[in-house]
Amino acid sequence: MTLRLLADIGGTNARFALQQAGSAGFADIEVLACSDYPAIGDAVRAYLGKAAARGLAAEGVKRAAIAIANPVEGDEVSMTNHCWRFSISALKAELGLDALLVVNDFAALAMSLPHLKAEQRERIGGGVEQANKPIGLIGPGTGLGVSGVVPCGGRWTALAGEGGHVSFAPVTKQEMKILQALWEEYGHVSAERLLSGLGLELIHRALAGQRLSAPEITARALDGSSIACRETVETFCAVLGSVAGNVALTLGATGGMYIGGGIVPRLGSLFTGSRFRERFEGKGRLSGYLARIPTWLITEEYPALRGVAAMLDDIQN
């Protein structure tokens, strides 16, 4: 059985899997901390070594696809939210591969969206998805990913962009206060500056004057021990709704708008009961248009691996 390597690499974690071409399942999945390895090649070799020790034919891997949290515009890749830098051609030679596909992680995640089943997503609010129409994607994690897929003949084409770095636009006086605080520190304030793990910390610092980590903020908000932390999470969800609405309008995402990333699934009822959907629809004359677009939270654990597998299939066919 010839296996191929799949990877989804973010600013914090690198998720690896082995898969037989044409199979819907994965032979092996492991998550490694990026900070434990000086270079991407070291992480790949560590994973393959562990997979081989588990009895898998990892030494025979000759084809690989990597989804990475970064623009991929040529041979050289330098991660925005981590220190790894590499040449795609050099990495291919280093690992002894016949084929290596490297793509933006949210483009890969977007490719999984048309294929998600009911149990792999959770509806947030109303709307009705339209078949064969553009689908939008946004996801806060270490950074903020933005993408989408558009139908092209009988296939889907993923959009690889850097929409997380668009300028943040406040909607309330409270958000103006946050923006003014961040202006002084950063100059340009992007959507990612708020909608990320660091963003939670910055929102909380601006509103409450406290320096807490993102896990502390979410934990205290979830257990009800801090009103200030709950307000921070509520503000985060509201801002996410506004930015998601912007993406949906820009793409004409009448096929639906999806929320991915590592933060929102951890928020539970704080997200589902938040102002996310209200702010998603709150676009004045276009509110009715957005009310017809469904929003979904991705609950599938490894969707980007499925998306990058589909992209590898495309170049093999």
Side-chain angles (χ1 to χ4, degrees):
M1 178 177 68
T2 301
L3 297 173
R4 58 188 189 174
L5 173 69
L6 307 173
D8 171 23
I9 297 175
T12 304
N13 294 312
R15 302 160 188 86
F16 293 100
L18 292 172
Q19 185 190 52
Q20 185 175 15
S23 170
F26 301 117
D28 191 66
I29 294 178
E30 186 169 7
V31 181
L32 303 181
C34 295
S35 59
D36 288 346
Y37 303 91
I40 187 172
D42 299 310
V44 172
R45 284 190 296 273
Y47 167 73
L48 291 174
K50 292 179 180 184
R54 289 190 285 266
L56 293 157
E59 68 281 353
V61 169
K62 292 297 180 183
R63 303 183 72 85
I66 295 173
I68 192 163
N70 211 72
V72 180
E73 298 176 327
D75 185 65
E76 296 291 329
V77 178
S78 179
M79 292 185 69
T80 305
N81 291 311
H82 189 60
C83 62
W84 287 351
R85 302 182 64 177
F86 62 96
S87 155
I88 296 173
S89 58
L91 182 64
K92 176 184 174 183
E94 175 188 341
L95 298 174
L97 299 171
D98 294 334
L100 173 60
L101 174 68
V102 181
V103 299
N104 174 266
D105 64 331
F106 262 69
L109 178 54
M111 281 294 288
S112 74
L113 301 182
H115 312 293
L116 291 180
K117 299 180 175 62
E119 64 272 17
Q120 296 172 315
R121 62 183 189 171
E122 178 184 355
R123 178 186 284 272
I124 308 296
V128 178
E129 60 187 319
Q130 297 184 33
N132 298 313
K133 296 293 183 181
I135 300 172
L137 171 66
I138 189 168
T142 305
L144 177 65
V146 174
S147 186
V149 284
V150 294
C152 184
R155 311 174 86 168
W156 292 89
T157 298
L159 305 174
E162 289 298 316
H165 295 278
V166 300
S167 299
F168 166 61
V171 173
T172 67
K173 290 182 179 179
Q174 182 190 64
E175 290 168 16
M176 279 295 302
K177 174 184 174 182
I178 296 169
L179 178 59
Q180 287 172 337
L182 297 182
W183 258 336
E184 295 177 6
E185 187 169 356
Y186 295 103
H188 175 249
V189 179
S190 66
E192 178 177 277
R193 190 65 71 186
L194 281 79
L195 297 177
S196 59
L198 176 61
L200 270 171
E201 298 170 15
L202 293 175
I203 292 170
H204 191 70
R205 196 170 79 197
L207 295 182
Q210 294 177 307
R211 292 180 179 269
L212 296 178
S213 70
E216 287 178 298
I217 294 166
T218 54
R220 295 184 188 186
L222 285 165
D223 67 18
S225 63
S226 170
I227 294 173
C229 288
R230 186 158 190 145
E231 182 181 12
T232 294
V233 172
E234 176 62 38
T235 300
F236 178 93
C237 294
V239 172
L240 179 60
S242 284
V243 178
N246 291 345
V247 175
L249 284 174
T250 301
L251 297 183
T254 54
M257 187 74 204
Y258 283 76
I259 305 100
I263 294 177
V264 177
R266 299 191 184 107
L267 300 180
S269 61
L270 291 183
F271 178 70
T272 56
S274 74
R275 288 179 291 144
F276 167 83
R277 182 70 194 191
E278 173 191 330
R279 288 281 293 269
F280 176 81
E281 296 181 12
K283 300 294 184 186
R285 290 173 294 169
L286 271 295
S287 294
Y289 177 88
L290 285 162
R292 296 191 293 273
I293 295 177
T295 47
W296 305 90
L297 175 62
I298 299 169
T299 56
E300 158 69 17
E301 192 170 9
Y302 301 108
L305 292 178
R306 300 192 182 282
V308 80
M311 296 173 90
L312 188 56
D313 286 338
D314 281 346
I315 68 168
Q316 289 183 214
N317 294 334

